[in-house]
Amino acid sequence: AQSVTQLGSHVSVSEGALVLLRCNYSSSVPPYLFWYVQYPNQGLQLLLKYTSAATLVKGINGFEAEFKKSETSFHLTKPSAHMSDAAEYFCAVTPTGGGNKLTFGTGTQLKVEL
Amino acid sequence: DAGVTQSPTHLIKTRGQQVTLRCSPISGHKSVSWYQQVLGQGPQFIFQYYEKEERGRGNFPDRFSARQFPNYSSELNVNALLLGDSALYLCASSLYWTSNEQFFGPGTRLTVL
């Protein structure tokens, strides 16, 4: 079964600092990988996705992620944090064939401090 | 264009009651999936429907059921509510059941007392 593990349930950065949120996946074949953001009392918004094309994926709001098969990782980064980035971030995986059922990680709460 | 809509926004029920949650997908989308998000956890897959047929079911008891209508909207039903059913219920739509991009609604917050 496919799964993702997010390291660090809470991450705190200063405004303007690098954001790094970690995600490792477990799958017998390279899956499709996603990062979603959830603001308080809202649904999920797709930040970016990896679907076996370019390994460096650029998303919305200045976020990007790199698929590294050798490390089974798909970490999310942003060069300079903004206060508006404070939210919960979820890494997710779907199989490359069949339905598009998403399996989510446990989430990382990002706090941005002045 | 309207995104995925869900109703109601909030709901309070007591143990043993039954609840129906509703979802309208983005216009043109034929697949609807339901997820349960318990506080402090990631969403868990419950069901996927495509063209009115069930295409996937997660590890949830038979108290959970769903259906999809000809206009592609969907309902999630939960019978004999338990305290542990308290959660945010999210609906997601996609063009096809294999589409790699899903769009989520704002969710329905269910509280069971």
Side-chain angles (χ1 to χ4, degrees):
Chain A
Q2 298 177 318
S3 65
V4 290
T5 301
Q6 292 184 241
L7 296 175
S9 58
H10 292 81
V11 170
S12 183
V13 300
S14 299
E15 192 174 34
L18 171 72
V19 175
L20 171 61
L21 305 182
R22 300 177 187 274
C23 173
N24 288 87
Y25 70 90
S26 173
S27 176
S28 57
V29 296
Y32 291 160
L33 291 158
F34 305 80
W35 276 99
Y36 283 87
V37 61
Q38 186 175 36
Y39 298 99
N41 300 314
Q42 294 188 27
L44 299 168
Q45 181 182 11
L46 179 66
L47 279 176
L48 49 79
K49 61 182 178 182
Y50 167 76
T51 55
S52 71
T55 57
L56 182 61
V57 182
K58 294 187 183 297
I60 62 172
N61 302 338
F63 284 94
E64 63 180 38
E66 186 172 7
F67 174 76
K68 293 187 177 180
K69 184 178 177 181
S70 61
E71 299 177 6
T72 61
S73 69
F74 189 59
H75 302 332
L76 182 70
T77 61
K78 182 174 181 178
S80 177
H82 191 271
M83 296 296 289
S84 61
D85 295 326
E88 185 138 31
Y89 292 79
F90 291 96
C91 181
V93 62
T94 64
T96 52
N100 59 9
K101 165 192 168 184
L102 285 161
T103 300
F104 288 88
T106 51
T108 297
Q109 186 71 45
L110 175 65
K111 182 178 180 181
V112 182
E113 300 174 316
L114 286 171
Chain B
D1 286 343
V4 178
T5 59
Q6 293 185 243
S7 63
T9 305
H10 294 86
L11 205 52
I12 299 175
K13 293 285 188 178
T14 57
R15 281 178 296 176
Q17 285 189 311
Q18 175 264 342
V19 69
T20 298
L21 310 181
R22 296 176 175 83
C23 171
S24 292
I26 290 172
S27 178
H29 284 195
K30 299 180 179 181
S31 177
V32 169
S33 296
W34 288 95
Y35 292 81
Q36 180 197 62
Q37 185 179 17
V38 174
L39 196 62
Q41 297 182 20
Q44 298 287 318
F45 172 77
I46 311 175
F47 286 110
Q48 181 181 27
Y49 275 78
Y50 177 71
E51 292 280 18
K52 297 176 289 180
E53 291 189 3
E54 183 183 301
R55 288 297 187 123
R57 172 185 285 255
N59 188 23
F60 281 81
D62 291 344
R63 300 184 296 107
F64 288 77
S65 64
R67 56 180 175 167
Q68 187 177 33
F69 298 98
N71 66 354
Y72 303 113
S73 67
S74 177
E75 287 183 351
L76 175 70
N77 295 283
V78 187
N79 293 322
L81 285 168
L82 303 174
L83 295 179
D85 296 331
S86 295
L88 180 68
Y89 288 85
L90 295 164
C91 173
S93 79
S94 58
L95 273 170
Y96 307 109
W97 77 296
T98 54
S99 299
N100 58 44
E101 186 162 355
Q102 297 181 63
F103 297 84
F104 282 82
T108 293
R109 173 73 64 188
L110 172 64
T111 302
V112 182
L113 302 175

